[in-house]
Amino acid sequence: AANTIGLGATREFVGRNPLDEASRDRFCFMEMNYDEKLERHLSANIDWTNKVIRARKAALDLDLRHIISPRASIKGAVLIEAGFSESKVFDMVVWKGLGIDDRNAIMKRAGLDL
């Protein structure tokens, strides 16, 4: 499994090297999305994880080039347990430098009120 299809770096995965076409021809390509059931199981906070998943879906619906992975669910649950507010944790593990307009668009689309 890989984050790209062997064509090299993308904006999200800049460290990827392209494969030559003879090598690419040896592979079958299949898109695999995140396993949300497993993500909910691995996170210690289902409510938090559901918000992260909604934000991810909203970002995809809005065609934003921003990764919101299960790491946000898992790490975020730990940070909330440590006493950080959900708003602060969103800054730390979900937004990560995303512009305010894109944040607001995701929150509106996902029905989030932070």
Side-chain angles (χ1 to χ4, degrees):
N3 290 326
T4 65
I5 57 171
L7 298 176
T10 65
R11 194 168 127 193
E12 295 87 359
F13 302 104
V14 297
R16 302 300 181 256
N17 293 319
L19 298 173
D20 63 84
E21 287 304 310
S23 295
R24 281 181 28 94
D25 187 50
R26 290 167 170 78
F27 295 97
C28 296
F29 295 91
M30 182 174 91
E31 184 175 337
M32 295 180 68
N33 296 311
Y34 298 122
D35 182 338
E36 293 175 1
K37 183 177 178 184
L38 177 62
E39 182 176 358
R40 287 182 180 96
H41 180 74
L42 294 174
S43 171
N45 185 326
I46 298 298
D47 182 55
W48 163 257
T49 301
N50 287 334
K51 290 176 184 176
V52 171
I53 290 170
R54 288 185 0 233
R56 178 186 309 131
K57 287 180 179 180
L60 290 170
D61 288 347
L62 294 165
D63 201 26
L64 298 177
R65 297 179 104 182
H66 183 69
I67 296 172
I68 304 174
S69 78
R71 290 180 186 93
S73 296
I74 297 163
K75 291 178 181 179
V78 171
L79 291 166
I80 290 168
E81 180 66 25
F84 289 93
S85 70
E86 281 192 358
S87 178
K88 181 66 176 171
V89 175
F90 253 89
D91 288 340
M92 296 166 73
V93 301
V94 175
W95 303 140
K96 298 185 289 187
L98 192 64
I100 192 70
D101 291 340
D102 289 338
R103 289 181 191 196
N104 289 338
I106 290 171
M107 288 193 304
K108 181 178 179 180
R109 179 116 183 165
L112 296 172
D113 184 27
L114 304 173

